Amino acid sequence: MSGHFIAIEGLDGCGSTTQIRLLGERFPHWHRTAEPSQGPAGLLIREALRGDNPLPDSVLPYLFAADRKDHLEREIEPALAQDIHVVTDRYYASSMAYQALIAPLNRIVTLNQDFRSPDLTIFLDIAPEQALERIVARGQAIERFETLEHLREIAAGFGVALALLAEQGERIEVIDATGTQETVHARIIE
Ligand code: TMP
């Protein structure tokens, strides 16, 4: 037996962090986590996204893959092995959508090909315009990917990534992420 592994994906501003919190309140025994992770590679990535270190974009696909390997070994696999369900705020579909802007998709796929597949990927579907409105309303510092043009490209990237993963037999559920937090939560539960 092993726990189930669920990834929540979507554009910045799609509400994944809120939805993971609500899932945590409903299922307190689940392990909740996120990528970039809290490990050393994850911290470097967050610095790079804020522009606080000089890492070029071309390094990010490798760094995200390194962080994922560390996250899996340190946190995800041990929890699953103890029959604990794990839900992560982002996983490799995010790399396929975001890093494909700066590197060929097949390179991203290759970098991630040895990693465990989620049992379920939930894509929180929201228009780029609405995602940007939510990001601006949040009032936090705007990260590197958070412009309308980028969000549109990333949305297209998710379309390609999710189609590819579905073709490979992965279970993908696209959830309408418009409406209140509670409405979206109810859709996920359904
Ligand atoms: P978040 O904490 O707001 O989800 O921010 C993480 C950012 O990192 C978000 O803009 C998406 C991006 N990201 C990638 O570009 N590739 C990845 O593989 C992951 C996990 C996240």
Side-chain angles (χ1 to χ4, degrees):
M1 270 288 287
S2 160
H4 294 307
F5 181 32
I6 301 173
I8 312 262
E9 297 277 7
L11 294 179
D12 301 271
C14 71
S16 58
T17 308
T18 303
Q19 291 307 322
I20 299 244
R21 179 175 53 74
L22 294 175
L23 283 172
E25 286 169 12
R26 192 169 187 126
F27 305 109
H29 48 289
W30 286 16
H31 181 75
R32 285 178 292 149
T33 185
E35 293 190 0
S37 81
Q38 294 300 321
L43 297 181
L44 261 183
I45 292 170
R46 291 210 183 270
E47 273 182 21
L49 295 180
R50 289 194 307 266
D52 288 349
N53 68 35
L55 274 170
D57 282 353
S58 58
V59 177
L60 285 180
Y62 301 91
L63 209 47
F64 274 111
D67 181 45
R68 191 154 296 127
K69 177 77 175 160
D70 178 42
H71 191 205
L72 278 162
E73 289 192 2
R74 182 171 37 80
E75 195 171 333
I76 298 172
E77 300 281 6
L80 294 173
Q82 291 177 63
D83 291 349
I84 297 168
H85 301 318
V86 175
V87 58
T88 181
D89 189 349
R90 301 192 177 282
Y91 193 57
Y92 55 42
S94 278
S95 284
M96 293 166 71
Y98 287 78
Q99 275 63 63
L101 296 183
I102 49 175
L105 179 60
N106 62 1
R107 188 177 309 153
I108 313 295
V109 170
T110 304
L111 280 170
N112 286 277
Q113 69 188 358
D114 293 335
F115 299 151
R116 178 188 195 109
S117 305
D119 298 299
L120 169 65
T121 296
I122 295 175
F123 179 72
L124 297 179
D125 195 17
I126 187 176
E129 292 75 9
Q130 197 174 356
L132 191 62
E133 270 174 32
R134 288 192 188 173
I135 292 166
V136 171
R138 222 158 54 188
Q140 291 166 345
I142 301 287
E143 288 187 336
R144 199 182 288 185
F145 301 120
E146 297 176 338
T147 67
L148 187 56
E149 190 196 343
H150 259 120
L151 288 168
R152 286 190 177 134
E153 287 173 341
I154 295 158
F158 266 120
V160 173
L162 297 180
L164 187 66
L165 294 172
E167 229 171 69
Q168 291 168 359
E170 291 200 18
R171 181 170 174 207
I172 315 276
E173 295 288 342
V174 177
I175 302 281
D176 175 1
T178 60
T180 65
Q181 298 176 357
E182 291 72 25
T183 307
V184 178
H185 177 65
R187 289 188 191 121
I188 292 175
I189 294 301
E190 198 184 315

